[in-house]
Amino acid sequence: MKMIVRNQAEWDAIPADFDGEIEIWLEHGLSIVLDDGNAKKHAWVMACESSQVIACGSSHVVACHLSQVRAYGFSQVTAYGSSRVVAYDSSQVKAYDSSKVRAYDSSQVRAYDSSQVMAYGSSKVRAYGSSQVMACESSQVIACGSSQVMAYGSSKVMAKANCQVLRLSDKARIKVSGNARIVRPPTTPQEYAEYYDLPISDGKITLYKAVTSDMGAFYDHGATRYNVGETKTHDCDPSPLVGCGIGLHVAHKDLAIKFGFQCAEGDSFKLLECSVPLDKLVVPKYGDGKVRCSELT
């Protein structure tokens, strides 16, 4: 027997001993809470389309399509499609396809296919296929297949097969076997150029900067202006241990475009191609691709 639920009242009205299939279809903006007080312990619950579900206690949920689930307590979630899950406490998640998971506390995640996981606290992740994991704080990751892991904080990573682990912290504990490898981000201008395949000519590197449609800097709401062909100088923090310090911020093209879209928030922006002297460039030790300089043209 299958029942379709479209709001909280319909869920609450289902008998606790119901052992059939329950599909949750919610209109945009609505959400539903599954907890120990109204859990259907024998039911198979599926969140469909764009439904938003908060799973508490010992709830079991299957999330499909674009559905969103927040899992607490000892709840269990299986995510498919482009569904999104945020897991807390001791909840357990299995993520498939291109689903995205944020894991906190002592939650456990198994990630398959092209799923993406961000792990915090003491959460544990097993990554398979071509899944991607960002390991933060004291999280633990076992990566197989061709998974990619970014290791921050004091995370612990064990990588096998053809996995790649990007070390982004001195405290991260990483162990690899098979064809797995550890990659360290560039720390010098020359390494940065090689890492992102950027051209160097006459001691200068070509980088990019996103600005507003009227050529203003995003960070100071357009107070700093740029003109094509102009050489601009600025004080610059020389320490590579400082991630985001004083200076003229630039990046490789993909990151600059991404930054432009994020800052413009739907409005138009311009992308400047900049020539930066290598001896004026600072590459943060564990940066995300953004660098800074004291001079650019």
Side-chain angles (χ1 to χ4, degrees):
M1 180 179 180
K2 179 168 71 175
M3 298 188 70
I4 296 178
V5 171
R6 293 185 171 85
N7 55 53
Q8 185 73 55
E10 291 182 358
W11 171 266
D12 293 341
I14 300 175
D17 59 354
F18 180 78
D19 63 356
E21 178 181 337
I22 301 174
E23 287 189 5
I24 299 176
W25 296 77
L26 303 180
E27 293 183 5
H28 181 71
L30 293 179
S31 62
I32 192 169
V33 178
L34 321 182
D35 60 28
D36 282 339
N38 61 9
K40 322 304 172 189
K41 300 189 187 310
H42 303 290
W44 189 83
V45 181
M46 182 167 66
C48 305
E49 297 301 336
S50 301
S51 298
Q52 298 184 38
V53 176
I54 300 175
C56 307
S58 303
S59 304
H60 291 64
V61 179
V62 176
C64 303
H65 308 301
L66 300 174
S67 57
Q68 300 181 36
V69 178
R70 286 183 176 270
Y72 299 86
F74 295 93
S75 54
Q76 299 181 34
V77 179
T78 303
Y80 297 92
S82 299
S83 55
R84 298 187 177 187
V85 180
V86 182
Y88 300 89
D89 303 325
S90 300
S91 53
Q92 299 181 30
V93 180
K94 289 185 178 181
Y96 299 87
D97 302 323
S98 56
S99 55
K100 297 181 179 180
V101 180
R102 284 178 178 262
Y104 299 87
D105 305 322
S106 301
S107 55
Q108 299 182 36
V109 180
R110 286 180 178 264
Y112 302 87
D113 304 322
S114 301
S115 54
Q116 299 179 35
V117 181
M118 299 177 68
Y120 302 88
S122 55
S123 55
K124 297 180 180 180
V125 179
R126 284 182 176 266
Y128 303 88
S130 55
S131 54
Q132 299 179 32
V133 181
M134 187 173 79
C136 306
E137 298 173 352
S138 300
S139 56
Q140 299 181 37
V141 179
I142 297 177
C144 306
S146 55
S147 301
Q148 298 183 37
V149 182
M150 292 180 287
Y152 294 86
S154 55
S155 57
K156 182 178 180 180
V157 179
M158 294 181 61
K160 308 174 182 179
N162 297 308
C163 295
Q164 176 173 292
V165 182
L166 179 60
R167 176 183 286 280
L168 292 167
S169 169
D170 289 332
K171 296 180 180 179
R173 296 163 292 170
I174 304 172
K175 182 178 180 180
V176 297
S177 61
N179 292 323
R181 63 173 184 163
I182 299 174
V183 177
R184 292 171 175 79
T187 58
T188 68
Q190 290 80 7
E191 289 179 355
Y192 185 89
E194 292 178 5
Y195 191 86
Y196 292 106
D197 193 24
L198 300 172
I200 294 177
S201 178
D202 297 326
K204 296 181 178 181
I205 183 173
T206 300
L207 295 171
Y208 297 84
K209 184 175 185 68
V211 295
T212 63
S213 58
D214 57 354
M215 302 289 281
F218 281 109
Y219 84 96
D220 60 5
H221 307 289
T224 301
R225 317 298 298 182
Y226 290 86
N227 297 301
V228 175
E230 172 190 44
T231 295
K232 186 171 285 294
T233 60
H234 197 286
D235 292 337
C236 181
D237 190 328
S239 175
L241 299 180
V242 176
C244 186
I246 297 173
L248 300 170
H249 292 167
V250 286
H252 58 86
K253 183 181 285 187
D254 289 346
L255 184 59
I257 292 173
K258 180 180 178 180
F259 178 79
F261 278 114
Q262 289 176 341
C263 292
E265 297 181 337
D267 294 332
S268 61
F269 68 92
K270 291 182 178 179
L271 188 68
L272 303 181
E273 184 177 279
C274 306
S275 179
V276 180
L278 289 177
D279 60 356
K280 305 291 185 181
L281 186 66
V282 177
V283 180
K285 183 176 181 181
Y286 289 123
D288 59 357
K290 181 177 71 174
V291 291
R292 60 183 179 272
C293 61
S294 59
E295 178 185 316
L296 60 78
T297 302

